[in-house]
Amino acid sequence: MIEDDFKNGLTYYIICERAGRVIGYGGMWHVINEGHITNIAITPEEQGKGLGRRLMNEIINLAKEKKMIGITLEVRSSNQKAINLYESSGFKPEGIRPEYYSDTKESALIMWKNM
């Protein structure tokens, strides 16, 4: 998926490394004048150390730099840790995508942040 993202020329990824090892990343598509966060991921042993927040801040700053009017994302409805992070970064729930995740048929919460 990441390799395909780079081919479109409208994708940005921010990578977190420690000692030459990737420990997290965040991706965003730039679609016209909006951002769409594709993924925020931190390795389990590095979670809870503020890296997710740092990634979110960098993505938000990038969106401002690119003059985007807002950013959207989908998150599993059961992922309360991620929802808390997004809400604390200014994202608001805007809707539900029923059965969005093919592996579990879980719904996704659609969130939006105006810039």
Side-chain angles (χ1 to χ4, degrees), residues 1-11 13 27 29 38:
M1 178 186 87
I2 293 172
E3 283 181 28
D4 288 340
D5 277 354
F6 280 115
K7 292 176 187 173
N8 74 25
L10 299 172
T11 302
Y13 275 91
W29 295 336
T38 58

Side-chain angles (χ1 to χ4, degrees), residues 16-59:
C16 294
E17 290 182 292
R18 179 165 292 139
R21 182 176 158 256
V22 174
I23 58 172
Y25 67 92
M28 178 175 62
W29 295 336
H30 188 174
V31 181
I32 305 174
N33 62 353
E34 299 175 357
H36 181 103
I37 294 176
T38 58
N39 209 339
I40 299 283
I42 305 293
T43 59
E45 63 272 12
E46 297 293 337
Q47 290 178 4
K49 298 179 181 178
L51 294 174
R53 178 156 320 281
R54 287 182 64 190
L55 280 172
M56 284 302 303
N57 290 339
E58 290 297 322
I59 287 172

